[in-house]
Amino acid sequence: MKKLWGGRFTKTAAQWVDDFGASIHFDQQLVEEDIEGSIAHVTMLGECGILPKEDVETIKKGLMELLEKARNGELSFSVAYEDIHLNIEKMLIDEIGSVGGKLHTGRSRNDQVATDMHLYLRKRVIEIIELIRQLQHVLVEKAEQHIETLIPGYTHLQRAQPISFAHHLMAYVWMFERDRERFKESLKRINKSPLGAGALAGTTFPIDRHLTAKLLGFDSIYENSLDAVSDRDFIIEFLSHSSLLMMHLSRFCEELILWSSQEFQFIEIDDTFATGSSIMPQKKNPDMAELIRGKTGRVYGHLMALLTVMKGLPLAYNKDMQEDKEGMFDTVQTVIGSLKIFTGMIETMTVRTDVMEKATRQDFSNATELADYLAKKGVPFREAHEIVGKLVLTCIERGLFLADLPLDVYQQASPLFEEDIYEALDPYTAVNRRMSAGGTGFKEVKQAIEKAKQIIEA
Ligand code: ARG
């Protein structure tokens, strides 16, 4: 089959060589962006007097028809035309005749593909930002229901100090807020037009890059034509922000998996987000949470892959850069899918407040309260720590918790202990007293929820 660039060739490549070089299998996902970019380009060619108005109208009409067909899934692509750009150009020429061949005036596939990717990513990033917001909304709603629900707080996965369950949920709300900010902030770099950079050096035609940028809704244009066609930092940045988001989701998934185990029983994942075992009838597995945790790996992989593809490339365009697409498409799909599933899982999970609460009473996570108690009475904290450590040891030896030890044992350890220690040992009191900014005290948590609501609903 004759190639659109076949003029200087005397032989054609074998089918399997063409297959290796083609990107149409995956870049057909850019079909709408590709046609939209072409419509803007040809409109500008008309406005600048580079093409006659009649030709522009014919080409535009042809492109509109192709766009309509693309939206209805009626286009069929061919490996013979390598990628989405040449496929569309060929279809246009087939549809409207040789005038279609004027579309590529003053343009290259190099600025074309970069433009498509910017348009594609802008749309998806806006979608991702909104999905993160919806997840935050669901988390804040859950948090509001559980301000006074107590749960053990952990360090080293050992019980450390009791906290409000809402406080734990809100920790993720703020992580997701930073993720959302990062994506939002990246839009100003994504929303830049490379169109009109040509193959690498610009063009001799009197084009208007600002006009195509405006028609496509870009805020600004790339200042340098070499840079415009040869960097993929905007995609790497997207993969990097996606990696961080997936890392946050994955950690949360790990907690849901732990919490829903027989050992914790803090939550129950809804039947609609769990699966059974083909052999063990009793099983209810947190598959969706595990999958999100697992899929984090492929997103990290795509980030490493593209960083590596780019690191040795001389300016400007190199075919290596065709490798930027599959990882980006897969990341978009993975991130959007994970956010939707995760939000549904949180929305529908059952919180076992009784089990959580009981856990905070059957451990030594109130030991810090005792040390603080002595420190407030003037005992150097390091000595207070030692005294309470010994009391914990006494409890372990006797099979008791701190709240079960009689007052005389306390007073033997330090005459400063009085009846009010039992009040201090209560996990509810312990949580409520942590009033430092950003701490787990109920008042603080309420304020944090209000603040988050304002940011999220803004
Ligand atoms: N399919 C190519 C890509 O994805 C489009 C740009 C091709 N440009 C070229 N000079 N071969 O990168």
Side-chain angles (χ1 to χ4, degrees):
M1 191 136 14
K2 185 162 175 346
K3 301 283 199 257
L4 290 179
W5 38 255
R8 60 101 66 218
F9 287 77
T10 53
K11 291 195 280 183
T12 52
Q15 178 68 42
W16 59 272
V17 176
D18 275 354
D19 281 345
F20 188 78
S23 53
I24 189 63
H25 325 287
F26 46 87
D27 69 13
Q28 52 183 275
Q29 292 187 59
L30 296 171
V31 62
E32 288 185 29
E33 288 79 7
D34 196 73
I35 300 174
E36 283 156 13
S38 289
I39 292 173
H41 176 68
V42 77
T43 305
M44 178 278 292
L45 292 178
E47 292 297 318
C48 294
I50 299 167
L51 288 187
K53 293 272 180 204
E54 320 80 78
D55 290 355
V56 170
E57 283 320 305
T58 314
I59 293 172
K60 258 173 132 171
K61 223 175 127 246
L63 287 170
M64 297 291 217
E65 269 162 38
L66 288 177
L67 187 58
E68 182 66 22
K69 283 187 187 162
R71 288 188 175 141
N72 298 331
E74 286 163 15
L75 297 182
S76 55
F77 304 101
S78 161
V79 171
Y81 298 104
E82 199 178 319
D83 57 24
I84 187 62
H85 326 294
L86 295 178
N87 267 269
I88 293 296
E89 193 176 327
K90 173 74 170 88
M91 284 177 203
L92 181 70
I93 294 171
D94 287 347
E95 191 141 317
I96 64 172
S98 64
V99 62
K102 294 189 177 185
L103 169 63
H104 212 53
T105 310
R107 184 177 74 169
S108 155
R109 270 190 294 161
N110 297 348
D111 57 342
Q112 193 180 354
V113 70
T115 303
D116 291 5
M117 306 274 275
H118 279 79
L119 291 172
Y120 172 89
L121 214 48
R122 179 177 70 191
K123 205 185 292 174
R124 306 305 147 146
V125 166
I126 289 171
E127 191 180 342
I128 288 168
I129 291 168
E130 174 56 18
L131 287 173
I132 297 175
R133 203 189 64 80
Q134 285 172 22
L135 168 57
Q136 289 176 301
H137 178 83
V138 166
L139 282 171
V140 168
E141 269 192 341
K142 270 267 178 266
E144 263 189 311
Q145 296 160 13
H146 291 288
I147 294 171
E148 297 200 5
T149 300
L150 303 184
I151 187 174
Y154 295 81
T155 63
H156 312 267
L157 199 57
Q158 304 289 324
R159 293 199 189 162
Q161 291 171 347
I163 54 172
S164 146
F165 183 50
H167 194 53
H168 196 115
L169 296 174
M170 289 303 292
Y172 284 101
V173 170
W174 297 114
M175 293 179 225
F176 294 132
E177 183 56 22
R178 290 193 295 278
D179 287 325
R180 201 162 65 99
E181 268 170 20
R182 272 187 281 268
F183 281 114
K184 279 206 280 196
E185 205 266 338
S186 73
L187 275 173
K188 72 168 184 253
R189 281 176 295 280
I190 294 173
N191 209 21
K192 240 182 217 312
S193 176
L195 194 57
L200 73 161
T203 171
T204 54
F205 291 97
I207 62 167
D208 183 349
R209 289 190 61 203
H210 294 283
L211 177 56
T212 45
K214 196 172 146 218
L215 291 172
L216 293 169
F218 287 121
D219 294 330
S220 56
I221 64 169
Y222 274 85
E223 296 296 337
N224 179 295
S225 62
L226 289 169
D227 177 33
V229 291
S230 71
D231 207 352
R232 293 294 181 262
D233 56 353
F234 69 104
I235 303 177
I236 294 175
E237 193 181 344
F238 167 71
L239 297 174
S240 164
H241 297 345
S242 298
S243 295
L244 285 174
L245 169 63
M246 290 302 293
M247 179 270 289
H248 289 149
L249 284 172
S250 183
R251 290 185 78 175
F252 208 160
C253 282
E254 169 64 16
E255 298 205 299
L256 295 185
I257 293 162
L258 278 174
W259 290 345
S260 63
S261 70
Q262 189 96 50
E263 284 69 20
F264 279 79
Q265 299 182 30
F266 286 176
I267 61 155
E268 190 173 339
I269 290 178
D270 195 69
D271 280 3
T272 51
F273 288 94
T275 44
S277 155
S278 59
I279 167 171
M280 298 164 283
Q282 85 285 8
K283 289 296 287 287
K284 179 169 167 186
N285 297 328
D287 282 30
M288 298 299 146
E290 292 167 81
L291 262 180
I292 295 171
R293 189 178 60 184
K295 282 177 188 291
T296 303
R298 67 202 284 160
V299 175
Y300 291 3
H302 296 319
L303 171 64
M304 283 320 296
L306 190 54
L307 280 168
T308 312
V309 165
M310 296 303 293
K311 72 180 271 293
L313 298 186
L315 300 188
Y317 177 83
N318 298 268
K319 183 76 164 181
D320 315 45
M321 288 157 66
Q322 183 165 287
E323 287 293 308
D324 62 358
K325 290 178 196 58
E326 286 159 291
M328 178 187 72
F329 292 142
D330 185 69
T331 299
V332 164
Q333 198 187 348
T334 303
V335 165
I336 289 178
S338 299
L339 280 168
K340 285 183 181 165
I341 292 280
F342 193 83
T343 304
M345 213 158 44
I346 294 288
E347 213 168 6
T348 56
M349 74 182 183
T350 306
V351 180
R352 305 279 308 272
T353 52
D354 52 331
V355 182
M356 287 179 175
E357 166 100 34
K358 199 166 151 217
T360 63
R361 295 185 183 278
Q362 299 189 339
D363 62 17
F364 292 98
S365 65
N366 49 3
T368 313
E369 309 316 308
L370 280 187
D372 285 354
Y373 179 97
L374 290 179
K376 278 178 192 153
K377 294 195 172 188
V379 181
F381 185 79
R382 198 44 62 213
E383 281 168 37
H385 186 290
E386 175 76 16
I387 294 168
V388 178
K390 292 228 165 73
L391 286 167
V392 169
L393 196 61
T394 308
C395 284
I396 293 170
E397 282 162 4
R398 298 199 199 167
L400 298 172
F401 294 112
L402 285 167
D404 308 324
L405 272 188
L407 188 60
D408 61 294
V409 178
Y410 278 112
Q411 286 174 337
Q412 272 159 33
S414 164
L416 294 170
F417 281 127
E418 287 172 63
E419 189 62 40
D420 60 353
I421 50 166
Y422 295 103
E423 163 73 8
L425 283 171
D426 188 86
Y428 187 91
T429 316
V431 173
N432 201 19
R433 279 186 179 164
R434 289 203 154 61
M435 293 167 304
S436 51
T440 190
F442 302 127
K443 239 176 85 191
E444 273 301 311
V445 172
K446 260 183 219 147
Q447 272 174 19
I449 289 175
E450 284 316 311
K451 192 165 180 185
K453 267 181 164 170
Q454 275 173 21
I455 294 172
I456 297 164
E457 311 306 339

